[in-house]
């Protein structure tokens, strides 16, 4: 095993090794790492199998709102991020010529104060990874197959690309939109909504003069956003309609040229500045996909002691910036459920009883989460489709009626009020 600089990441060098573990998490993104950190906090050991050779920070930046910040607070990380990244005081909607349609001021929304900060994915991932013990994160560990053990019904076996194998009492797939665990559970593949997004982070070493607002510029079918992160870093993205998947072979330079071409009718000089101050390796393009889980997830997403969470469970479009936060919330709530199932009765129950407790905990988790993740996935999609206005009349209605009214809705930030609650940290026993 080789340890990285921070000592928390082990690269598997031994080929064809067999590992026996209690809890195995497939995927070391936000959700998987936060789940491992939460389990560690409640005294449960887990390993994280991550296919990449480093923590994946593709997409450069991510916005977290109050609900996501509350999760970071549980690990005493929130203030570290508050000290680096701006809290955005408003969302301004404009047309492609820069005319303001409305401005949403979160301080006028119920339940505040609200937070909305855009942070670097890499910094966030590393901070969460710093919360888990050495050797928890196994890089270069791509899971290629999953099987129920033929000899022990309570055990699940995982096969990795390098030939090594794991057997586990619990397998949780935090493995993203193309989840292999989700496929094994028989989940429908997430569907494209016929839109793509290109995003990146511009760096202005001598600062910039943009307003400290999230600005969204809308044409009929294209959305451009500028989201200041720090005094020198600005996140931006462009969304447009495109159902083809042919872009996957484009080079970063071609993607950059495509963005400039798509936005040529926008009179937004700040955006052009952002594009020109973004290094090529920061350009990321995605087809936007989601799955609205109409069927209850406790019926479809738990088989024995295997389940999925985060994007693997409820892949969502990014229009309300909640995908990452939902994965973080899942991590805390599932850790709490497993703590209840495993920790308190650890020494007193048989393997079969323990397995039943775990199964029940996974079902309870999905019962608790389904309503919220269904609602947010649906809301994100509705926000996404309602800002596309492909005819002149729809565009007129959007710009003069819907968006100005949306700016006055008092519960616009309602979904960010969710409080994930605390982790049960065991108190030392008192000896009277
Ligand atoms: C364009 C776009 C913009 C977004 N913007 C925001 C935003 O502003 N705010 C927000 O909250 N959310 C945003 N999201 C959503 C957010 O990125 C995801 O919801 C979040 O990353 C989900 O976390 P996760 O841990 O479930 O999955 P992921 O972050 O996708 O992590 C999955 C991990 O599993 C690993 N993996 C996959 N398969 C295997 C395998 N077979 N074996 C081992 N490892 C495997 C992957 O390498 C990856 O590291 C955005 C998404 C997109 C597409």
């Amino acid at each position: 095993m080789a340890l990285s600089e921070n000592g928390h990441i082990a690269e598997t060098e031994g080929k064809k090794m067999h590992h026996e573990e209690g809890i195995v998490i497939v995927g070391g993104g936000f959700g998987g790492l936060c789940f491992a950190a939460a389990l560690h906090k409640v005294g449960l050991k887990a390993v994280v199998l991550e296919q990449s050779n480093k923590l994946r920070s593709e997409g450069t930046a991510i916005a977290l709102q109050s609900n996501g910040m509350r999760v970071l607070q549980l690990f005493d990380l929130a203030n570290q991020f508050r000290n680096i990244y701006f809290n955005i005081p408003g969302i301004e909607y404009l047309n492609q010529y820069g005319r303001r349609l409305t401005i949403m001021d979160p301080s006028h929304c119920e339940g505040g104060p609200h937070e909305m900060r855009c942070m670097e994915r890499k910094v966030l991932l590393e901070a969460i990874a710093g919360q888990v013990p050495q050797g928890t994160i196994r890089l270069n560990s791509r899971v290629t197959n999953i099987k129920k053990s033929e000899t022990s019904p309570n055990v699940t076996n995982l096969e990795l690309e390098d030939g090594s194998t794991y057997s586990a009492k619990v397998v949780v797939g935090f493995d993203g939109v193309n989840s292999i665990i989700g496929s094994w559970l028989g989940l429908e593949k997430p569907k494209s909504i016929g839109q793509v997004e290109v995003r990146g982070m511009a760096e202005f070493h001598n600062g910039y003069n943009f307003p400290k607002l999230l600005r969204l510029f809308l044409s009929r079918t294209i959305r451009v956003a500028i989201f200041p992160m720090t005094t020198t870093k600005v996140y931006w993205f462009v969304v447009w309609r495109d159902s083809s998947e042919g872009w996957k072979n484009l080079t970063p330079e071609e993607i950059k040229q495509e963005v400039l071409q798509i936005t040529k009718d926008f009179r937004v000089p700040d955006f052009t500045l952002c594009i020109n101050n973004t290094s090529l390796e920061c350009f990321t393009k995605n087809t936007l996909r989601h799955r609205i889980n109409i069927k209850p997830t406790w019926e479809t997403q738990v088989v024995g002691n295997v389940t999925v969470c985060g994007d693997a469970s409820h892949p969502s479009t990014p229009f309300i910036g909640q995908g990452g936060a939902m994965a973080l919330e899942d991590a805390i709530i599932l850790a709490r459920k497993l703590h209840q199932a495993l920790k308190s009765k650890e020494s007193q129950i048989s393997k079969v009883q323990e397995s039943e407790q775990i199964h029940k905990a996974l079902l309870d988790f999905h019962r608790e989460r389904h309503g919220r993740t269904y609602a947010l996935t649906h809301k994100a999609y509705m926000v996404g489709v309602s800002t596309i206005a492909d005819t002149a009349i729809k565009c007129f209605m959007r710009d003069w009626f819907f968006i100005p009214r949306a700016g006055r809705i008092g519960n616009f930030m309602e979904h960010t009020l969710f409080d994930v609650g605390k982790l049960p940290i065991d108190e030392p026993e008192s000896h009277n």
Side-chain angles (χ1 to χ4, degrees):
M1 300 259 171
L3 293 183
S4 75
E5 274 170 33
N6 70 9
H8 292 302
I9 299 164
E11 292 189 31
T12 50
E13 286 167 357
K15 303 289 177 199
K16 308 222 171 191
M17 277 174 66
H18 180 69
H19 308 255
E20 286 185 10
E21 302 287 347
I23 304 172
V24 172
I25 304 164
V26 181
F30 295 114
L33 294 182
C34 185
F35 183 45
L39 289 173
H40 177 58
K41 252 192 175 326
V42 301
L44 294 172
K45 186 178 166 293
V47 297
V48 178
L49 304 180
E50 167 54 45
Q51 63 183 356
S52 306
N53 59 4
K54 58 181 181 6
L55 296 181
R56 276 183 58 195
S57 51
E58 187 190 296
T60 318
I62 184 161
L64 284 191
Q65 303 172 56
S66 306
N67 54 324
M69 294 301 291
R70 273 183 210 110
V71 175
L72 297 187
Q73 189 82 53
L74 296 177
F75 301 99
D76 291 327
L77 292 173
N79 283 342
Q80 174 186 328
F81 285 90
R82 289 188 181 114
N83 290 337
I84 308 175
Y85 301 102
F86 293 150
N87 186 22
I88 291 294
I91 309 173
E92 187 180 21
Y93 283 84
L94 308 101
N95 70 11
Q96 73 193 88
Y97 308 109
R99 182 180 74 77
R100 178 184 282 180
L101 305 174
T102 195
I103 183 155
M104 291 182 185
D105 178 349
S107 68
H108 293 164
C109 288
E110 292 150 14
H114 298 280
E115 277 186 271
M116 193 191 303
R117 299 175 195 271
C118 190
M119 45 195 71
E120 284 149 285
R121 285 183 179 247
K122 185 169 182 292
V123 179
L124 183 56
L125 279 172
E126 282 174 358
I128 304 175
Q131 300 288 311
V132 300
Q134 286 189 7
T136 300
I137 306 168
R138 316 268 165 95
L139 297 173
N140 293 315
S141 299
R142 180 175 161 73
V143 173
T144 51
N145 202 8
I146 173 165
K147 283 182 188 159
K148 278 275 150 220
S149 164
E150 283 164 16
T151 47
S152 331
N154 309 320
V155 168
T156 306
N157 294 325
L158 297 171
E159 290 170 10
L160 272 55
E161 194 169 54
D162 66 8
S164 53
T165 51
Y166 279 77
S167 52
K169 287 189 209 168
V170 192
V171 174
V172 179
F174 263 107
D175 50 343
V177 281
N178 298 314
S179 168
I180 188 168
I181 307 298
S183 302
W184 183 81
L185 292 169
L187 302 184
E188 212 183 308
K189 290 233 170 293
K191 286 201 176 74
S192 162
I193 62 154
Q195 298 182 32
V196 290
E197 178 169 320
V198 176
R199 49 197 163 137
M201 184 181 74
E203 291 206 57
F204 298 89
H205 297 295
N206 298 319
Y208 55 86
N209 295 317
F210 311 153
K212 218 173 89 180
L213 290 170
L214 165 55
R215 284 181 296 159
L216 291 159
F217 300 86
L218 308 176
S219 75
R220 281 196 191 173
T221 55
I222 302 166
R223 270 156 293 174
V224 162
I226 301 179
F227 197 155
M229 301 166 67
T230 68
T231 50
T232 56
K233 292 177 181 162
V234 180
Y235 178 54
W236 57 263
F237 59 84
V238 190
V239 181
W240 72 92
R241 278 190 170 174
D242 184 355
S243 301
S244 71
E245 302 269 342
W247 59 263
K248 286 195 172 136
N249 297 324
L250 294 182
T251 63
E253 178 58 37
E254 285 167 334
I255 294 177
K256 176 177 175 176
Q257 293 312 321
E258 191 184 22
V259 166
L260 290 170
Q261 172 64 23
I262 285 279
T263 56
K264 69 180 186 329
D265 295 331
F266 278 70
R267 310 241 171 85
V268 184
D270 293 351
F271 182 68
T272 317
L273 264 180
C274 284
I275 298 293
N276 290 328
N277 280 277
T278 300
S279 57
L280 279 180
E281 70 270 13
C282 267
F283 282 78
T284 312
K285 186 165 178 176
N286 291 88
T287 292
L288 300 182
R289 297 177 201 285
H290 74 164
R291 181 181 56 235
I292 298 182
N293 294 315
I294 295 169
K295 286 192 194 154
T297 51
W298 59 92
E299 288 178 6
T300 53
Q301 300 199 359
V302 182
V303 170
N305 291 341
V306 179
T307 195
V308 277
C309 291
D311 273 11
S313 167
H314 38 74
S316 172
T317 50
F319 301 113
I320 55 170
Q322 281 288 316
M326 280 195 281
L328 298 179
E329 290 172 5
D330 283 356
I332 303 300
I333 293 169
L334 186 55
R336 221 161 34 215
K337 298 281 180 203
L338 285 179
H339 174 265
Q340 275 163 11
L342 290 171
K343 192 73 180 161
S344 50
K345 304 186 183 92
E346 208 167 35
S347 54
Q348 304 150 24
I349 56 173
S350 71
K351 282 189 176 169
V352 175
Q353 284 170 319
E354 181 189 66
S355 182
E356 284 167 3
Q357 297 278 13
I358 295 169
H359 180 68
K360 185 176 169 303
L362 302 184
L363 294 175
D364 281 353
F365 163 79
H366 281 285
R367 279 197 191 96
E368 184 171 333
R369 292 297 285 161
H370 181 248
R372 175 161 172 80
T373 57
Y374 171 86
L376 288 187
T377 310
H378 190 260
K379 184 170 186 175
Y381 175 66
M382 292 313 289
V383 169
V385 290
S386 62
T387 45
I388 292 273
D390 45 6
T391 62
I393 181 80
K394 279 193 201 161
C395 194
F396 177 82
M397 295 295 287
R398 180 193 70 187
D399 293 358
W400 290 94
F401 293 99
F402 299 136
I403 288 193
R405 271 190 55 150
R408 295 194 293 271
I409 297 176
N411 62 359
F412 183 74
M413 306 286 283
E414 195 183 18
H415 55 270
T416 72
L417 300 181
F418 182 83
D419 187 346
V420 76
K422 297 210 176 336
L423 282 167
I425 313 290
D426 289 336
E427 299 292 338
E429 279 178 39
S430 62
H431 301 280
N432 304 332

